[in-house]
Amino acid sequence: MRLTIGRDELLKALNVVGSVVERRQAKPILTHVLIKAGDGEVVLTGTDLEIEVVARCAAEVQEPGVVTVPGRKFLDIVRTLPGGSTLRCEMDATRFRVAMGKSRFQLATLPVEDFPNLMDVQWDVRFQVPRVDLKRIIEKTEFCMAQQDVRYYLNGVMLEFSGRSLRAVAADGHRLAFCAAQVAEELGAERQIIVPRKAVGEMVRFLGNESAPLEVSVSTNHVRVVQDDLVFVSKLVDGRFPDYHRVIPQTVKEEVTLPRASVLEMLGRVGVVSTEKFRGMRLRFQGTTLAASATNTDRDEAWEELDLGVPVPEWETGFNVTYLVEAMGALEGDEVLFGWTNTDGGARLKGKNGSEEQVYVVMPVRL
């Protein structure tokens, strides 16, 4: 292998691929990045056996070849080199050499045949979706994913494709987030997949903000997303996501319109003194006001009242303030519809415009 490549283009590709490569792994080959050079381009692949990311960049290839190099180390080297510079790379029997000006580096390699491949999958269905829509629905729900829950199907985001509707749902047993987008292209029969927690974070970083479509492929155990010169593959959580329709109240007994910005500011101030572990806060609707109060084990107290300007039903219960802040922060628009049926059923939050494409359910806590 022998090639010449721009430092900036290589760094961009390595930043994407290196995100899934750790410095230490049980299998040494998983700390490496696979580099294939040929046909005027370099293809870089990184994997941790759960996620695989592939990036392409243009290069002047004098001699094609394939090699594996320590991913993080190679990324650190390229990052420290001057912007706009040109790198010369070549490979002999066991060493990968990188040169730029008077700088010289040699990296140890591992056998190419040991590098795993997640791409050898039979894809059952393929379709295109606007990348901005896919990124939006994931970002609006990912904060509700469970962390290391024994109910493994909650440790990720459920994506549902049906007709022209693209939906994302996440839940951790205490709250649920739902976000949907309507797309122009028919997505076919209903299909549900659960993308694991780590892959969700990487996918959000991977997706851009453009409206151009990207290709999504789904198999029984994998999902693949292709955009421009980047390919993202992840294993799926093997399980069935609970019926979220049963969790989201279709109707509520009472509903109040809240000014989103003012309530968020109030919750942020009062939440300062809430107990760090449980983050409990009491909300009380009475007369024309919403009052929030919190205490902690040091006997600190905070209380604030917000005048809503209209009579509201009387109701009082406790919530985890972080859950409320995250749900309200994710909603779009200036006003929030805050609804409930009883003190045990929790609260339903959605936008004031009446759209059902964004809904959050937050369960109460005992204080």
Side-chain angles (χ1 to χ4, degrees):
M1 173 191 288
R2 192 169 73 254
L3 61 94
T4 304
I5 189 170
R7 175 264 186 189
D8 297 342
E9 292 77 13
L10 179 59
L11 180 60
K12 182 180 179 181
L14 277 172
N15 274 326
V16 175
V17 173
S19 64
V20 301
V21 178
E22 303 293 341
R23 292 185 185 274
R24 294 183 180 180
Q25 286 273 11
K27 294 183 177 181
I29 192 64
L30 297 181
T31 67
H32 282 223
V33 167
L34 180 72
I35 302 175
K36 294 182 181 180
D39 297 327
E41 68 174 7
V42 170
V43 181
L44 300 98
T45 304
T47 183
D48 63 358
L49 294 182
E50 299 293 326
I51 304 170
E52 181 172 292
V53 179
V54 179
R56 301 173 183 270
C57 54
E60 295 181 14
V61 181
Q62 292 84 36
E63 183 178 330
V66 184
V67 66
T68 70
V69 299
R72 288 289 181 172
K73 197 173 295 181
F74 190 30
L75 173 59
D76 290 343
I77 289 171
V78 175
R79 185 184 287 127
T80 58
L81 294 173
S85 58
T86 300
L87 281 59
R88 301 184 305 278
C89 305
E90 62 180 32
M91 173 68 189
D92 62 17
T94 60
R95 311 288 286 182
F96 181 74
R97 297 188 177 91
V98 181
M100 192 288 301
K102 295 184 178 181
S103 300
R104 302 286 188 276
F105 304 90
Q106 291 191 71
L107 298 175
T109 65
L110 290 175
V112 171
E113 54 270 20
D114 292 345
F115 196 86
N117 178 24
L118 295 185
M119 291 292 187
D120 189 16
V121 175
Q122 183 66 42
W123 303 107
D124 300 331
V125 60
R126 289 184 177 90
F127 49 85
Q128 290 189 332
V129 297
R131 67 187 72 181
V132 67
D133 288 335
L134 181 59
K135 183 176 182 180
R136 172 179 168 269
I137 66 171
I138 293 175
E139 287 182 326
K140 296 294 185 181
T141 56
E142 62 174 334
F143 57 86
C144 285
M145 290 185 292
Q147 299 188 46
Q148 298 180 330
D149 198 297
V150 294
R151 297 165 293 182
Y152 56 91
Y153 45 80
L154 296 181
N155 298 319
V157 169
M158 188 275 284
L159 296 178
E160 185 176 67
F161 316 101
S162 176
R164 289 184 175 151
S165 183
L166 179 63
R167 310 179 192 96
V169 185
D172 62 5
H174 305 287
R175 53 181 173 165
L176 179 144
F178 169 88
C179 188
Q182 299 300 311
V183 298
E185 182 174 326
E186 184 72 28
L187 303 179
E190 182 175 314
R191 180 100 183 217
Q192 286 188 0
I193 62 174
I194 305 175
V195 183
R197 184 180 184 86
K198 180 180 178 181
V200 168
E202 294 297 333
M203 187 181 291
V204 169
R205 287 191 346 102
F206 176 85
L207 296 171
N209 295 315
E210 299 86 356
S211 58
L214 51 83
E215 182 184 88
V216 177
S217 304
V218 179
S219 73
T220 304
N221 299 312
H222 295 80
V223 61
R224 179 179 68 184
V225 179
V226 180
Q227 66 168 15
D228 303 328
D229 294 327
L230 303 176
V231 181
F232 177 93
V233 179
S234 171
K235 287 186 176 180
L236 300 175
V237 176
D238 183 15
R240 180 71 178 175
F241 200 83
D243 184 2
Y244 63 89
H245 298 286
R246 299 177 60 183
V247 180
I248 301 175
Q250 299 305 305
T251 59
V252 290
K253 184 178 179 180
E254 306 288 355
E255 195 163 56
V256 177
T257 299
L258 300 178
R260 191 171 74 94
S262 298
V263 173
L264 276 172
E265 291 173 1
M266 179 178 72
L267 296 179
R269 287 189 289 266
V270 177
V272 170
V273 303
S274 63
T275 304
E276 185 174 336
K277 183 176 181 181
F278 299 105
R279 300 288 288 155
M281 172 184 290
R282 186 170 296 279
L283 293 185
R284 185 182 67 186
F285 290 91
Q286 188 175 33
T288 62
T289 64
L290 167 63
S293 60
T295 61
N296 58 34
T297 53
D298 295 327
R299 293 188 293 181
D300 301 321
E301 297 181 3
W303 183 86
E304 186 170 333
E305 192 175 88
L306 177 66
D307 186 9
L308 300 177
V310 294
V312 295
E314 188 168 333
W315 188 63
E316 182 175 351
T317 194
F319 289 101
N320 181 309
V321 63
T322 300
Y323 296 170
L324 287 179
V325 168
E326 289 182 337
M328 285 197 173
L331 282 166
E332 299 162 356
D334 297 330
E335 295 180 309
V336 173
L337 289 175
F338 188 98
W340 67 88
T341 297
N342 51 57
T343 56
D344 297 324
R348 184 188 72 181
L349 293 79
K350 63 179 185 177
K352 177 65 166 63
N353 59 10
S355 171
E356 297 296 331
E357 73 169 16
Q358 244 191 304
V359 182
Y360 299 90
V361 177
V362 181
M363 301 304 293
V365 297
R366 295 183 180 275
L367 298 176

